[in-house]
Each structure stands twice: as structure tokens, then as C-alpha cells.
Amino acid sequence: MPTITLILYGKDDCILCDRLESMLKPHVEASRDRVDIRITKRDIFDDPQWAAWYRYRIPVLSHEGKAILEGGPTEAEIATAIGAVVKRSKRGTLGG
């Protein structure tokens, strides 16, 4: 089974970050039979470069170095983004 690692950039006390994290959970669970999706949280203030890139865009969900969601995405946008990543993994186009 393929493993997908997604990075969730945010910061402490970020309501939008917490909201996106909770909205992602059902999509991750729904995909468990096809792929293993792992979400790694990163605080943007742990790295000056992350702070420069994402400070005004958080939360940002990235895959393979590319932002796939940011700000306050809708449920439909989340479903589309996760679906696209899962679909690519099934075609074997994802890296490790």
C-alpha cells in the first residue's frame, strides 16, 4: 500500500489550522483502504524560511513541496485535493 506524507504548516493558537486538521481526518480515514496518508504538522516559526513563505497563508497543506490547500478551504476543496493525491498514488507517480 502506498504511503503519502502531507505536511500541515501552521502555528500555535491558529483556529484555521485546527479547523483544517479536523476537516482532514475523515478524508484520511476514508482513504485508509487504498493508501496510508500521514500528516506531519510543522510550526512555521520553527524555521525562518517557513515563516517567510507561509506566514500570511496558513494553514498550508503541502505534498512533495507543493501547496495543495491553504487558508480556509471548503469541504469540497479538501475532498478534491486529497482525491487527486490518492489518485496519483494509485497510478504510481508519487515519490517516496
Side-chain angles (χ1 to χ4, degrees), residues 61-81:
L61 186 69
S62 74
H63 177 253
E64 296 184 337
K66 296 179 185 172
I68 59 172
L69 291 169
E70 62 183 78
T74 65
E75 192 68 42
E77 291 169 329
I78 294 168
T80 298

Side-chain angles (χ1 to χ4, degrees), residues 17-66:
C17 302
D18 295 340
R19 178 180 170 266
L20 178 55
E21 184 177 12
S22 68
M23 290 176 74
L24 285 168
K25 287 179 183 178
H27 297 279
V28 170
E29 289 301 317
S31 301
R32 287 274 180 222
D33 62 332
R34 296 170 283 161
V35 295
D36 179 20
I37 298 176
R38 298 180 185 182
I39 298 175
T40 301
K41 291 172 57 174
R42 292 191 179 155
D43 187 315
I44 62 167
F45 294 114
D46 287 346
D47 183 306
Q49 192 65 52
W50 297 341
W53 287 338
Y54 302 124
R55 176 177 226 139
Y56 300 108
R57 297 169 50 197
I58 60 170
V60 174
L61 186 69
S62 74
H63 177 253
E64 296 184 337
K66 296 179 185 172

